[in-house]
Amino acid sequence: MRQKRPNSGAQVLRYNTRQSFHLRYRPMSAANPKVGFVSLGCPKALVDSERILTQLRTEGYEISPSYDGADLVVVNTCGFIDSAVQESLDAIGEALAENGKVIVTGCLGKKADVIRDVHPSVLSVTGPHAYEEVMGAVHLHLPPKADHNPFINLVPAQGIKLTPKHYAYLKISEGCNHRCTFCIIPSLRGDLVSRPIGSVLTEAENLVKAGVQEILVVSQDTSAYGVDLKYKLDFWGGQPVKTRMLELCEALGTMGVWVRLHYVYPYPHVDNVIPLMAAGKILPYLDIPFQHGSPSVLKRMKRPAHAENTLERIKKWREICPDLIIRSTFIVGFPGETEEEFQELMDWLKIAQLDRVGCFPYSPVDGAVANDVAEPVPEEVKLERHERFMQLAAEISAERLQRRVGRIEEVLIDEIDEEEGVAVARSKADAPEIDGNVFIEGEGAAALKPGQRVMVKITEADDYDLFAELVATN
């Protein structure tokens, strides 16, 4: 039976380590203190969770797969939009009810009063990427085992990962220098702080050595990488390398794995990485949050690079790299959005012909400037515009996927549906969790393994997914 699903571009990612972590890591000893962990939010928050979990394991803590088996629980929260805030508060409440001892961290932790008003019994509240503060709270309420020897239970060089073994997120910076009116990320995570490129590339090397086949580069603003450091020279493998997006992509492109760029803003220097994609050094995939197509709405949003002629640049990018896939997200019903401005967005999308699109009706976020820039759009109008937008996006997606029928493409296996005899894979056009899938059917499909990269022939397409048959294994 073929698997059909709705567009995943608009889904909210939720990573729950209680369900996934214990499947991959063997417990050390019953005498070790046990910590439960719930991770909510975006891939950048997931990386924060991985770092905390790595430190916990380094210090001898065991990770519990259940509430009742944990001595305390850490909840890494999201606070970007109201629905995420509520989900985080619900998760904290569940952990308190099931366990009773809860440490809270993450983006919502910047609003400690909101958390303590609802859940006054939490042990500690810290903000995002507050690794040392989280560990300090754990030490206070659950001291580590005094005789722990870190050289007996070694943590792998790549650290603890919550993703499947064949792909991993690589976070290159924290924070953002922009002040988009709908966004409160700078108030939660601060201004841009880039990691030294030597550290980033060493982490990437360790991931590849551990068997990772796909590296997903994430940040708040990938294009701005290194700006805060004035593109400082660092060293990797004994060679000087600038802390800059182009040099990062060039180096990652030598590692022999898929490299996918997320959260790219369309600054002029992004043009420089397109030839790398055309040459097969990194994946021909750009995740660019355009957010809207109307100049007046973009002005109210205070979007960076909104003055660029993005349609002309998209055309030039595709001339250089015909296989380029562009994913983006949009907001409809932004305060003051008129029907004329919405139609400008629809016309823009028709010309841009983006491959992967997610869309969200505007949701007022506590503290966002956008709430006061103009009159709010009625809820029913937002939903109606969202429906119209996604219908157009689905039509464009279906048409562009249909063009790939008959092609031979490389895909990465994510999982095997043994009951149906189908391998669930992704092409170079598909990021995990948010894009489509390639369902491999027929002879040899069930014998494939997660993490394999294989060649398939595309046989069929629907609105968001492709179907294929196996041609060859690598």
Side-chain angles (χ1 to χ4, degrees):
M1 182 179 69
R2 290 192 167 178
Q3 303 182 46
K4 304 286 185 177
R5 59 182 181 79
N7 173 37
S8 57
Q11 73 181 31
V12 176
L13 303 185
R14 186 181 195 272
Y15 298 93
N16 187 325
T17 59
R18 292 169 293 158
Q19 298 176 357
S20 60
F21 187 87
H22 68 289
L23 298 177
R24 295 181 54 200
Y25 299 99
R26 181 170 55 87
M28 295 177 293
S29 164
N32 288 288
K34 295 182 179 181
V35 177
F37 208 102
V38 179
S39 184
L40 305 174
C42 66
K44 297 178 286 293
L46 183 73
V47 174
D48 292 346
S49 295
E50 291 173 339
R51 180 167 175 178
I52 295 169
L53 285 164
T54 298
Q55 189 61 36
L56 287 168
R57 288 298 299 269
T58 298
E59 296 187 14
Y61 290 91
E62 189 173 326
I63 308 303
S64 173
S66 63
Y67 287 126
D68 55 3
D71 297 305
L72 63 76
V73 177
V74 177
V75 180
N76 189 6
T77 60
C78 179
F80 183 48
I81 58 177
D82 289 348
S83 59
V85 170
Q86 190 57 54
E87 182 184 26
S88 294
L89 292 173
D90 290 345
I92 296 167
E94 180 182 297
L96 284 169
E98 297 291 333
N99 181 275
K101 299 179 68 176
V102 176
I103 290 171
V104 179
T105 188
C107 286
L108 187 58
K110 290 287 284 188
K111 301 178 180 179
D113 55 333
V114 172
I115 295 171
R116 293 194 181 278
D117 283 348
V118 180
H119 302 298
S121 61
V122 295
L123 301 176
S124 171
V125 180
T126 62
H129 53 89
Y131 316 112
E132 294 181 0
E133 291 92 334
V134 172
M135 291 307 302
V138 173
H139 294 158
L140 177 63
H141 298 285
L142 185 64
K145 191 177 177 183
D147 59 352
H148 169 63
N149 185 343
F151 298 103
I152 294 177
N153 290 292
L154 294 177
V155 173
Q158 73 275 14
I160 302 302
K161 296 297 174 184
L162 299 178
T163 49
K165 292 181 179 180
H166 58 279
Y167 71 81
Y169 294 102
L170 180 67
K171 185 160 67 169
I172 62 173
S173 64
E174 282 287 357
C176 181
N177 287 343
H178 299 289
R179 298 297 183 264
C180 303
T181 59
F182 58 83
C183 182
I184 60 171
I185 290 297
S187 67
L188 298 177
R189 290 183 171 264
D191 289 336
L192 176 72
V193 178
S194 300
R195 291 177 57 191
I197 195 167
S199 169
V200 172
L201 293 174
T202 298
E203 180 181 348
E205 278 187 311
N206 288 333
L207 291 171
V208 174
K209 289 175 183 177
V212 165
Q213 291 294 314
E214 178 181 14
I215 292 174
L216 301 106
V217 177
V218 296
S219 68
Q220 299 298 337
D221 183 355
T222 296
S223 309
Y225 177 60
V227 168
D228 56 311
L229 301 177
K230 298 182 180 179
Y231 307 121
K232 180 182 178 181
L233 273 178
D234 198 15
F235 287 86
W236 173 60
Q239 298 296 318
V241 187
K242 278 189 176 182
T243 303
R244 188 167 59 180
M245 180 184 177
L246 177 60
E247 284 77 2
L248 174 68
C249 292
E250 289 174 337
L252 291 174
T254 67
M255 296 187 182
V257 299
W258 284 9
V259 177
R260 192 180 303 277
L261 301 181
H262 286 278
Y263 310 105
V264 176
Y265 287 87
Y267 305 134
H269 66 264
V270 173
D271 297 356
N272 299 329
V273 305
I274 306 300
L276 295 178
M277 297 178 177
K281 301 297 184 182
I282 62 177
L283 292 185
Y285 181 101
L286 279 177
D287 171 16
I288 303 180
F290 289 115
Q291 303 296 5
H292 214 280
S294 166
S296 54
V297 173
L298 289 169
K299 185 176 181 179
R300 294 200 297 276
M301 289 180 168
K302 291 190 177 179
R303 291 293 291 162
H306 72 265
E308 299 292 333
N309 188 338
T310 51
L311 289 175
E312 183 61 31
R313 294 182 67 209
I314 289 170
K315 180 182 177 182
K316 289 181 178 178
W317 292 342
R318 285 175 169 156
E319 289 173 354
I320 297 170
C321 183
D323 290 334
L324 178 65
I325 299 296
I326 302 177
R327 143 167 281 282
S328 191
T329 51
F330 295 86
I331 298 172
V332 296
F334 189 77
E337 182 190 64
T338 64
E339 179 60 30
E340 181 181 1
E341 289 171 329
F342 174 71
Q343 193 57 52
E344 286 182 296
L345 169 60
M346 296 285 277
D347 293 341
W348 187 96
L349 183 60
K350 289 175 184 176
I351 298 172
Q353 291 287 297
L354 301 187
D355 303 88
R356 302 295 193 187
V357 170
C359 179
F360 304 87
Y362 177 77
S363 173
V365 178
D366 186 29
V369 175
N371 299 335
D372 302 316
V373 299
E375 287 297 313
V377 176
E379 196 66 28
E380 61 274 15
V381 175
K382 292 183 195 176
L383 296 177
E384 187 269 340
R385 288 176 182 172
H386 176 265
E387 184 177 349
R388 286 160 58 194
F389 182 92
M390 290 311 301
Q391 178 60 41
L392 174 59
E395 292 170 2
I396 294 172
S397 174
E399 181 181 346
R400 294 188 69 82
L401 288 178
Q402 193 63 40
R403 298 177 193 174
R404 293 165 62 187
V405 173
R407 289 178 50 171
I408 306 295
E409 297 192 14
E410 184 182 46
V411 300
L412 178 62
I413 308 300
D414 277 337
E415 59 181 303
I416 307 299
D417 185 336
E418 296 181 358
E419 184 177 337
E420 300 292 341
V422 173
V424 183
R426 289 179 291 108
S427 73
K428 295 178 180 180
D430 307 309
E433 304 286 347
I434 56 175
D435 290 330
N437 289 114
V438 180
F439 296 102
I440 306 173
E441 305 168 309
E443 184 177 355
L448 296 171
K449 304 294 182 185
Q452 275 187 279
R453 286 156 59 182
V454 301
M455 303 304 295
V456 300
K457 181 177 181 179
I458 307 301
T459 59
E460 191 179 339
D462 63 18
D463 287 355
Y464 299 107
D465 298 316
L466 294 171
F467 301 86
E469 57 188 25
L470 183 64
V471 172
T473 57
N474 293 337

